[in-house]
């Protein structure tokens, strides 16, 4: 897929906005895991969209974190029965404090299935941190424990989010407007 020829990027969250928010989130997460009595966190990056956010969060957290990565996608069958394909899985999580780091929760479909699947593996705790939350688009209930920003129902790119794999490297988050 080529880069679209005519498009406009409308900045919604600047690099400074994001950096500030990452610090606020990390401080909250540190405080919460102290209360939880967790000595460390298994910080799990949901590939690929969360990669930039994950790297920044990891470097801001004070709580010792071990890293892992997973990749999952969901397909809705014709009878609206869901299926989750995990193409990259994580190691044994039993007894561990797992914090999933996601780019954006939209309908909530993927995260709802993924959280359920991981919960069955008996982690000590399982929480979700999402950079963006399109709450108005939610169709499946997902508890998002930590939200970076509430997002409008627009198509967003940058800071890890992509359109056909492009725009992930933008240091800010923008609405992508494709010309007719
Ligand atoms: P859900 O299962 O409908 O919640 O879809 C969530 C996934 O869709 C995210 O992890 C993203 O990969 C993708 N997604 C949803 N909205 C956007 C967007 O505005 N820009 C880029 N990717 C998006
Ligand atoms: Mg994603």
């Amino acid at each position: 897929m080529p880069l679209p020829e005519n498009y406009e990027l409308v900045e919604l969250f600047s690099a400074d906005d994001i950096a500030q928010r990452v610090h606020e989130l990390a401080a909250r997460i540190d405080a919460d895991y102290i209360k939880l009595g967790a000595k460390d966190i298994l910080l799990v990056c949901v590939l690929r969209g969360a990669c930039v956010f994950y790297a920044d969060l990891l470097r801001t957290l004070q709580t010792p974190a071990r890293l892992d990565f997973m990749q999952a996608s969901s397909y809705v069958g014709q009878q609206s029965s869901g299926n989750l394909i995990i193409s990259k899985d994580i190691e044994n999580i039993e007894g561990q404090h797992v914090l999933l780091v996601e780019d954006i929760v939209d309908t909530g479909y993927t995260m709802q299935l993924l959280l359920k699947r991981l919960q069955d593996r008996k982690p000590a705790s399982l929480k979700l941190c999402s950079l963006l939350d399109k709450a108005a688009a939610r169709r499946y209930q997902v508890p998002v424990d930590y939200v970076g920003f509430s997002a409008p129902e627009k198509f967003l790119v940058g800071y890890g989010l992509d359109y056909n794999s492009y725009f992930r490297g933008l240091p800010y988050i923008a609405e992508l407007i494709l010309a007719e």
Side-chain angles (χ1 to χ4, degrees):
M1 286 271 207
L3 183 66
E5 279 185 18
N6 295 309
Y7 63 85
E8 202 186 322
L9 292 170
V10 180
E11 183 175 303
L12 293 184
F13 304 106
S14 70
D16 284 348
D17 293 340
I18 298 169
Q20 191 188 331
R21 193 69 189 124
V22 167
H23 275 83
E24 290 167 3
L25 283 177
R28 264 187 56 206
I29 293 169
D30 284 331
D32 286 356
Y33 281 84
I34 287 171
K35 273 190 233 145
L36 207 62
K39 286 196 218 66
D40 54 28
I41 307 179
L42 181 61
L43 198 66
V44 176
C45 177
V46 183
L47 295 169
R48 286 176 275 201
C51 63
V52 180
F53 177 45
Y54 180 78
D56 282 346
L57 191 64
L58 171 67
R59 288 177 293 175
T60 313
L61 282 171
Q62 301 287 313
T63 313
R66 285 175 306 114
L67 279 55
D68 213 340
F69 300 84
M70 76 185 303
Q71 188 160 24
S73 56
S74 48
Y75 298 88
V76 181
Q78 285 187 325
Q79 294 124 0
S80 81
S81 60
N83 192 12
L84 185 74
I85 310 285
I86 296 180
S87 46
K88 158 91 184 76
D89 208 344
I90 50 180
E91 304 287 310
N92 178 25
I93 60 169
E94 190 172 340
Q96 306 209 37
H97 294 282
V98 178
L99 180 57
L100 276 187
V101 181
E102 170 65 311
D103 54 355
I104 182 163
V105 181
D106 188 16
T107 65
Y109 185 70
T110 316
M111 273 304 120
Q112 190 203 41
L113 289 177
L114 189 58
L115 285 169
K116 191 172 173 302
R117 190 78 72 86
L118 294 177
Q119 197 64 62
D120 289 345
R121 300 186 193 172
K122 303 186 171 49
S125 69
L126 176 62
K127 291 193 193 199
L128 173 61
C129 175
S130 184
L131 171 65
L132 294 156
D133 183 9
K134 275 190 195 169
R138 194 74 88 259
R139 286 196 285 132
Y140 301 87
Q141 281 316 307
V142 174
V144 190
D145 301 281
Y146 304 99
V147 174
F149 302 100
S150 297
E153 280 191 275
K154 308 256 163 87
F155 195 81
L156 308 179
V157 296
Y159 195 69
L161 289 105
D162 75 308
Y163 172 75
N164 291 339
S165 278
Y166 294 103
F167 304 111
R168 290 197 200 274
L170 292 176
Y172 55 90
I173 297 167
E175 179 189 356
L176 173 67
I177 302 172
L178 296 173
E180 297 291 302

